[in-house]
Short mmCIF file of all heavy atoms in Angstrom, two decimals:
data_model
loop_
_atom_site.label_atom_id
_atom_site.label_comp_id
_atom_site.label_asym_id
_atom_site.label_seq_id
_atom_site.Cartn_x
_atom_site.Cartn_y
_atom_site.Cartn_z
N ILE A 1 -50.53 14.12 -41.90
CA ILE A 1 -50.11 14.70 -43.16
C ILE A 1 -48.84 15.44 -42.97
O ILE A 1 -48.49 16.10 -42.10
CB ILE A 1 -51.26 15.81 -43.53
CG1 ILE A 1 -52.58 15.20 -43.60
CG2 ILE A 1 -50.77 16.57 -44.91
CD1 ILE A 1 -53.66 16.22 -43.81
N TYR A 2 -47.97 15.00 -43.98
CA TYR A 2 -46.56 15.52 -43.98
C TYR A 2 -46.43 16.54 -45.12
O TYR A 2 -47.03 16.29 -46.15
CB TYR A 2 -45.60 14.35 -44.24
CG TYR A 2 -45.43 13.53 -42.88
CD1 TYR A 2 -46.36 12.62 -42.56
CD2 TYR A 2 -44.24 13.70 -42.21
CE1 TYR A 2 -46.31 11.89 -41.42
CE2 TYR A 2 -44.09 12.95 -40.91
CZ TYR A 2 -45.20 12.05 -40.66
OH TYR A 2 -44.97 11.28 -39.39
N LYS A 3 -45.77 17.56 -44.92
CA LYS A 3 -45.56 18.57 -45.89
C LYS A 3 -44.09 18.66 -46.33
O LYS A 3 -43.23 18.68 -45.36
CB LYS A 3 -46.07 19.97 -45.37
CG LYS A 3 -46.03 21.20 -46.35
CD LYS A 3 -46.50 22.42 -45.70
CE LYS A 3 -48.03 22.42 -45.94
NZ LYS A 3 -48.61 23.70 -45.76
N CYS A 4 -43.85 18.85 -47.54
CA CYS A 4 -42.46 18.90 -48.02
C CYS A 4 -42.01 20.40 -47.70
O CYS A 4 -42.71 21.41 -47.92
CB CYS A 4 -42.39 18.77 -49.59
SG CYS A 4 -40.71 18.80 -50.30
N VAL A 5 -40.84 20.42 -47.05
CA VAL A 5 -40.30 21.72 -46.55
C VAL A 5 -39.92 22.68 -47.79
O VAL A 5 -40.10 23.77 -47.66
CB VAL A 5 -39.01 21.45 -45.71
CG1 VAL A 5 -38.32 22.76 -45.31
CG2 VAL A 5 -39.31 20.57 -44.54
N GLY A 6 -39.49 22.07 -48.93
CA GLY A 6 -39.05 22.90 -49.94
C GLY A 6 -40.24 23.41 -50.93
O GLY A 6 -40.09 24.53 -51.49
N CYS A 7 -41.27 22.60 -51.09
CA CYS A 7 -42.28 23.08 -52.16
C CYS A 7 -43.71 23.01 -51.56
O CYS A 7 -44.64 23.28 -52.20
CB CYS A 7 -42.18 22.07 -53.28
SG CYS A 7 -42.73 20.41 -52.91
N ASP A 8 -43.94 22.56 -50.34
CA ASP A 8 -45.18 22.47 -49.67
C ASP A 8 -46.19 21.47 -50.10
O ASP A 8 -47.32 21.38 -49.98
CB ASP A 8 -45.83 23.83 -49.60
CG ASP A 8 -45.26 24.95 -48.86
OD1 ASP A 8 -44.58 24.53 -47.87
OD2 ASP A 8 -45.42 26.10 -49.05
N LYS A 9 -45.62 20.47 -50.95
CA LYS A 9 -46.52 19.35 -51.30
C LYS A 9 -46.87 18.57 -50.15
O LYS A 9 -46.07 18.48 -49.32
CB LYS A 9 -45.74 18.59 -52.39
CG LYS A 9 -46.52 17.40 -52.96
CD LYS A 9 -45.75 16.68 -54.06
CE LYS A 9 -46.54 15.49 -54.71
NZ LYS A 9 -47.60 16.09 -55.50
N GLU A 10 -48.09 17.99 -50.01
CA GLU A 10 -48.46 17.31 -48.96
C GLU A 10 -48.78 15.86 -49.26
O GLU A 10 -49.22 15.48 -50.44
CB GLU A 10 -49.78 17.88 -48.35
CG GLU A 10 -49.45 19.25 -47.81
CD GLU A 10 -50.80 19.97 -47.36
OE1 GLU A 10 -51.90 19.42 -47.40
OE2 GLU A 10 -50.63 21.15 -46.86
N VAL A 11 -48.52 14.87 -48.31
CA VAL A 11 -48.89 13.58 -48.37
C VAL A 11 -49.40 13.07 -47.11
O VAL A 11 -49.05 13.52 -45.98
CB VAL A 11 -47.62 12.60 -48.80
CG1 VAL A 11 -47.17 12.96 -50.27
CG2 VAL A 11 -46.49 12.71 -47.78
N THR A 12 -50.28 12.03 -47.11
CA THR A 12 -50.77 11.46 -45.94
C THR A 12 -50.00 10.04 -45.72
O THR A 12 -49.94 9.33 -46.68
CB THR A 12 -52.35 11.04 -46.16
OG1 THR A 12 -52.94 12.31 -46.34
CG2 THR A 12 -52.82 10.43 -44.81
N ILE A 13 -49.49 9.88 -44.51
CA ILE A 13 -48.69 8.76 -44.11
C ILE A 13 -49.31 7.98 -42.97
O ILE A 13 -49.62 8.69 -41.97
CB ILE A 13 -47.31 9.17 -43.82
CG1 ILE A 13 -46.58 9.99 -45.05
CG2 ILE A 13 -46.38 7.92 -43.55
CD1 ILE A 13 -46.29 9.22 -46.26
N ALA A 14 -49.35 6.79 -43.02
CA ALA A 14 -49.83 6.06 -41.84
C ALA A 14 -48.66 5.86 -40.87
O ALA A 14 -47.51 5.73 -41.35
CB ALA A 14 -50.43 4.59 -42.22
N GLY A 15 -48.90 5.81 -39.57
CA GLY A 15 -47.73 5.70 -38.60
C GLY A 15 -47.07 4.40 -38.91
O GLY A 15 -47.68 3.39 -39.16
N GLY A 16 -45.62 4.40 -38.76
CA GLY A 16 -44.89 3.39 -39.01
C GLY A 16 -44.52 3.00 -40.50
O GLY A 16 -43.83 2.22 -40.73
N LYS A 17 -45.14 3.75 -41.44
CA LYS A 17 -44.83 3.60 -42.82
C LYS A 17 -43.71 4.41 -43.20
O LYS A 17 -43.24 5.32 -42.53
CB LYS A 17 -46.13 3.92 -43.69
CG LYS A 17 -47.32 2.97 -43.36
CD LYS A 17 -46.94 1.61 -43.67
CE LYS A 17 -48.21 0.66 -43.38
NZ LYS A 17 -48.03 -0.66 -43.62
N THR A 18 -43.27 4.33 -44.52
CA THR A 18 -42.19 5.16 -44.92
C THR A 18 -42.62 6.35 -45.63
O THR A 18 -43.59 6.37 -46.47
CB THR A 18 -41.16 4.39 -45.85
OG1 THR A 18 -41.96 3.74 -46.94
CG2 THR A 18 -40.54 3.25 -45.04
N ILE A 19 -41.71 7.40 -45.60
CA ILE A 19 -41.82 8.65 -46.35
C ILE A 19 -41.80 8.30 -48.00
O ILE A 19 -40.99 7.32 -48.25
CB ILE A 19 -40.93 9.63 -45.87
CG1 ILE A 19 -41.10 10.03 -44.52
CG2 ILE A 19 -40.79 10.84 -46.86
CD1 ILE A 19 -42.37 10.66 -44.14
N PRO A 20 -42.39 8.91 -48.85
CA PRO A 20 -42.32 8.63 -50.17
C PRO A 20 -40.82 8.61 -50.68
O PRO A 20 -40.05 9.38 -50.21
CB PRO A 20 -43.07 9.69 -50.96
CG PRO A 20 -44.09 10.03 -49.93
CD PRO A 20 -43.38 10.02 -48.73
N PRO A 21 -40.48 7.87 -51.75
CA PRO A 21 -39.02 7.78 -52.19
C PRO A 21 -38.67 9.09 -52.98
O PRO A 21 -39.57 9.92 -53.17
CB PRO A 21 -39.03 6.56 -53.11
CG PRO A 21 -40.45 6.42 -53.57
CD PRO A 21 -41.35 6.93 -52.37
N GLN A 22 -37.50 9.20 -53.24
CA GLN A 22 -36.87 10.43 -53.89
C GLN A 22 -37.63 10.72 -55.22
O GLN A 22 -37.83 11.87 -55.54
CB GLN A 22 -35.49 10.24 -54.15
CG GLN A 22 -34.65 11.40 -54.79
CD GLN A 22 -34.58 12.58 -53.78
OE1 GLN A 22 -34.39 12.40 -52.69
NE2 GLN A 22 -34.51 13.85 -54.33
N ASN A 23 -38.10 9.75 -55.91
CA ASN A 23 -38.71 9.97 -57.23
C ASN A 23 -40.19 10.28 -57.10
O ASN A 23 -40.82 10.47 -58.08
CB ASN A 23 -38.53 8.72 -58.13
CG ASN A 23 -39.09 7.48 -57.62
OD1 ASN A 23 -39.65 7.50 -56.59
ND2 ASN A 23 -39.02 6.43 -58.45
N HIS A 24 -40.66 10.44 -55.88
CA HIS A 24 -42.09 10.80 -55.69
C HIS A 24 -42.34 12.20 -56.41
O HIS A 24 -43.41 12.28 -57.06
CB HIS A 24 -42.45 10.88 -54.21
CG HIS A 24 -43.87 11.26 -53.74
ND1 HIS A 24 -44.13 12.53 -53.52
CD2 HIS A 24 -45.01 10.62 -53.82
CE1 HIS A 24 -45.44 12.70 -53.36
NE2 HIS A 24 -46.00 11.40 -53.48
N HIS A 25 -41.61 13.16 -56.20
CA HIS A 25 -41.78 14.44 -56.92
C HIS A 25 -40.31 15.00 -56.92
O HIS A 25 -39.44 14.60 -56.28
CB HIS A 25 -42.66 15.27 -56.22
CG HIS A 25 -42.35 15.89 -54.96
ND1 HIS A 25 -42.33 15.28 -53.73
CD2 HIS A 25 -41.81 17.19 -54.61
CE1 HIS A 25 -41.80 15.99 -52.74
NE2 HIS A 25 -41.62 17.20 -53.27
N GLN A 26 -40.11 16.04 -57.84
CA GLN A 26 -38.79 16.54 -58.05
C GLN A 26 -38.82 18.06 -57.63
O GLN A 26 -39.85 18.68 -57.59
CB GLN A 26 -38.37 16.57 -59.56
CG GLN A 26 -38.37 15.11 -60.14
CD GLN A 26 -37.34 14.32 -59.30
OE1 GLN A 26 -36.31 14.73 -59.12
NE2 GLN A 26 -37.76 13.08 -58.92
N HIS A 27 -37.59 18.56 -57.23
CA HIS A 27 -37.44 20.02 -56.96
C HIS A 27 -36.40 20.63 -57.90
O HIS A 27 -35.55 20.05 -58.42
CB HIS A 27 -36.69 19.91 -55.49
CG HIS A 27 -37.64 19.87 -54.30
ND1 HIS A 27 -37.33 19.98 -53.14
CD2 HIS A 27 -39.05 19.67 -54.31
CE1 HIS A 27 -38.32 19.86 -52.24
NE2 HIS A 27 -39.44 19.70 -53.01
N SER A 28 -36.61 21.91 -57.94
CA SER A 28 -35.67 22.77 -58.56
C SER A 28 -34.38 22.80 -57.57
O SER A 28 -34.59 22.63 -56.36
CB SER A 28 -36.24 24.00 -58.91
OG SER A 28 -36.41 24.80 -57.74
N SER A 29 -33.28 23.31 -58.09
CA SER A 29 -32.09 23.59 -57.15
C SER A 29 -32.51 24.60 -56.13
O SER A 29 -31.98 24.64 -55.02
CB SER A 29 -30.97 23.95 -58.03
OG SER A 29 -31.13 25.06 -58.73
N ALA A 30 -33.34 25.63 -56.53
CA ALA A 30 -33.69 26.57 -55.57
C ALA A 30 -34.57 26.06 -54.32
O ALA A 30 -34.50 26.70 -53.30
CB ALA A 30 -34.58 27.69 -56.22
N GLN A 31 -35.29 24.96 -54.55
CA GLN A 31 -36.05 24.34 -53.52
C GLN A 31 -35.24 23.49 -52.54
O GLN A 31 -35.79 23.11 -51.52
CB GLN A 31 -37.17 23.58 -54.06
CG GLN A 31 -38.28 24.57 -54.77
CD GLN A 31 -39.28 23.63 -55.55
OE1 GLN A 31 -38.90 22.63 -56.36
NE2 GLN A 31 -40.46 23.98 -55.46
N GLY A 32 -34.10 23.14 -52.94
CA GLY A 32 -33.24 22.31 -52.10
C GLY A 32 -33.53 20.81 -52.23
O GLY A 32 -34.52 20.45 -52.99
N SER A 33 -32.99 19.98 -51.27
CA SER A 33 -33.45 18.58 -51.28
C SER A 33 -34.83 18.36 -50.71
O SER A 33 -35.43 19.27 -50.02
CB SER A 33 -32.45 17.90 -50.38
OG SER A 33 -32.36 18.20 -49.05
N ILE A 34 -35.21 17.25 -51.01
CA ILE A 34 -36.77 16.82 -50.62
C ILE A 34 -36.60 16.56 -49.10
O ILE A 34 -35.97 15.51 -48.69
CB ILE A 34 -37.32 15.80 -51.44
CG1 ILE A 34 -37.36 16.24 -52.88
CG2 ILE A 34 -38.58 15.29 -50.81
CD1 ILE A 34 -37.88 15.22 -53.81
N ARG A 35 -37.40 17.12 -48.16
CA ARG A 35 -37.51 16.99 -46.78
C ARG A 35 -38.92 17.11 -46.39
O ARG A 35 -39.61 17.92 -46.78
CB ARG A 35 -36.67 18.05 -46.12
CG ARG A 35 -35.15 17.94 -46.50
CD ARG A 35 -34.36 19.27 -46.20
NE ARG A 35 -34.94 20.61 -46.32
CZ ARG A 35 -35.26 21.36 -47.35
NH1 ARG A 35 -35.01 20.94 -48.46
NH2 ARG A 35 -35.72 22.42 -47.25
N TRP A 36 -39.33 16.25 -45.46
CA TRP A 36 -40.75 16.16 -45.10
C TRP A 36 -40.85 16.49 -43.62
O TRP A 36 -40.01 15.99 -42.78
CB TRP A 36 -41.36 14.85 -45.24
CG TRP A 36 -41.44 14.40 -46.81
CD1 TRP A 36 -40.48 13.77 -47.46
CD2 TRP A 36 -42.42 14.68 -47.71
NE1 TRP A 36 -40.79 13.56 -48.77
CE2 TRP A 36 -42.02 14.25 -48.93
CE3 TRP A 36 -43.58 15.43 -47.61
CZ2 TRP A 36 -42.88 14.37 -50.02
CZ3 TRP A 36 -44.36 15.52 -48.69
CH2 TRP A 36 -43.97 14.97 -50.06
N GLN A 37 -41.92 17.12 -43.18
CA GLN A 37 -42.10 17.39 -41.89
C GLN A 37 -43.67 17.29 -41.56
O GLN A 37 -44.50 17.55 -42.39
CB GLN A 37 -41.83 19.07 -41.42
CG GLN A 37 -40.81 19.12 -40.40
CD GLN A 37 -40.42 20.45 -40.16
OE1 GLN A 37 -40.58 21.40 -41.03
NE2 GLN A 37 -39.84 20.79 -38.98
N LEU A 38 -43.87 16.71 -40.36
CA LEU A 38 -45.34 16.53 -39.98
C LEU A 38 -46.11 17.80 -39.88
O LEU A 38 -45.56 18.77 -39.28
CB LEU A 38 -45.40 15.71 -38.69
CG LEU A 38 -46.73 15.35 -38.12
CD1 LEU A 38 -47.43 14.42 -39.09
CD2 LEU A 38 -46.69 14.79 -36.75
N PHE A 39 -47.19 17.91 -40.46
CA PHE A 39 -47.98 19.11 -40.56
C PHE A 39 -49.22 18.94 -39.71
O PHE A 39 -49.75 19.79 -38.94
CB PHE A 39 -48.28 19.46 -41.98
CG PHE A 39 -49.01 20.79 -42.13
CD1 PHE A 39 -48.48 22.10 -41.78
CD2 PHE A 39 -50.42 20.80 -42.59
CE1 PHE A 39 -49.20 23.17 -41.92
CE2 PHE A 39 -51.09 21.94 -42.72
CZ PHE A 39 -50.58 23.11 -42.33
#
């Protein structure tokens, strides 16, 4: 499970697959760019 650093949205990713594209969800300017970290 990966968590978005800016908004805490979570996604499940299989090993070797790609992180969701930029249009998966949107951020406000206060949340910064979309970045994912393994949770």
Side-chain angles (χ1 to χ4, degrees):
I1 299 171
Y2 287 75
K3 186 178 276 197
C4 182
V5 175
C7 68
D8 291 335
K9 183 173 183 70
E10 296 176 357
V11 294
T12 303
I13 307 285
K17 299 296 182 183
T18 57
I19 296 294
Q22 183 72 30
N23 64 358
H24 178 263
H25 72 284
Q26 300 301 312
H27 277 184
S28 68
S29 57
Q31 293 171 314
S33 63
I34 296 173
R35 302 156 330 275
W36 297 94
Q37 239 176 339
L38 184 63
F39 181 68

